[in-house]
Amino acid sequence: MSETRKRFNNTDVYATVFSYNTENQNNSDLFGPLYLDLDLDIKSESDYLILKKDLVSIVTYLEQNYGIPNNYIKFYFTGKKGFHLLIPSQVFDIKPDKNLNTYYKEIAKELNLATLTNLIDTKIYDKKRLLRLPNSINGKTGL
C-alpha cells in the first residue's frame, strides 16, 4: 500500500487523473486516460440494475463505435453513487494537449446519449480533476 493510502487508512484518497509537463497546470499540456464518472443516486436494487445496464451500454457503445475491446476498459465503484471508467490514453493514441479535458468532455457527452439515464457527469472535465483511488474507502459511506 502506498504511503498516502497508509497515512489516511486508505480512506478518501485521491489523485489527479492527468500528468502535466509544466508546474502551471492551467497552461500545461494534459496527458491521461479517458475518464467517465457515472453517478446515480442508488436507493434500491432497481437503481443499481439501471446503473449496471447503463454501464453495459457504454462499454458496448465503445466497442461497437470505437473498436475498444471491453478488457481495455477499467471500472471501479466510487463508494457512493456510481462507477469511474478509465480507458488508457494509448487506446485512442492520445498525445499531450492543453485541451485534452475539453475533448474528453465531448466524448462523455456523446457516450451519455448511449445511456438510458444520462448518468455520466459531464461537469467534471477541468484541468485539475481528482478521482478517488481504486479500492479506496469512501469516508461518507464506508464502502
Side-chain angles (χ1 to χ4, degrees):
M1 186 182 298
S2 74
E3 289 302 313
T4 301
R5 286 182 188 261
K6 284 180 187 174
R7 190 170 76 196
F8 293 100
N9 199 27
N10 200 35
T11 301
D12 294 331
V13 287
Y14 301 85
T16 179
V17 72
F18 292 122
S19 296
Y20 306 93
N21 64 353
T22 67
E23 286 188 29
N24 183 344
Q25 294 168 337
N26 290 322
N27 294 320
S28 178
D29 284 339
L30 309 172
F31 186 71
L34 170 63
Y35 58 98
L36 301 169
D37 182 22
L38 284 63
D39 282 338
L40 185 65
D41 195 14
I42 300 172
K43 296 179 178 153
S44 69
E45 181 70 24
S46 64
D47 291 334
Y48 176 75
L49 293 174
I50 290 169
L51 176 64
K52 185 178 173 185
K53 192 176 286 190
D54 274 351
L55 180 60
V56 170
S57 295
I58 292 166
V59 170
T60 301
Y61 185 92
L62 287 166
E63 187 168 18
Q64 290 177 350
N65 293 285
Y66 287 94
I68 300 171
N70 63 16
N71 62 318
Y72 282 45
I73 303 168
K74 307 297 181 212
F75 56 93
Y76 58 95
F77 182 55
T78 63
K80 189 171 183 188
K81 300 191 305 182
F83 290 91
H84 288 152
L85 269 78
L86 298 173
I87 303 167
S89 52
Q90 297 84 347
V91 170
F92 290 105
D93 196 26
I94 297 293
K95 305 290 185 234
D97 191 287
K98 286 181 178 24
N99 297 308
L100 186 58
N101 60 314
T102 304
Y103 305 146
Y104 282 172
K105 182 175 185 171
E106 291 305 312
I107 294 171
K109 287 179 181 178
E110 176 187 340
L111 291 170
N112 233 352
L113 298 176
T115 67
L116 299 171
T117 59
N118 294 321
L119 53 70
I120 298 173
D121 185 351
T122 57
K123 296 179 185 127
I124 65 166
Y125 293 92
D126 54 50
K127 294 187 176 219
K128 299 178 183 178
R129 178 55 40 192
L130 298 176
L131 293 181
R132 180 178 306 283
L133 293 178
N135 301 314
S136 64
I137 299 167
N138 183 314
K140 293 177 187 171
T141 65
L143 301 174

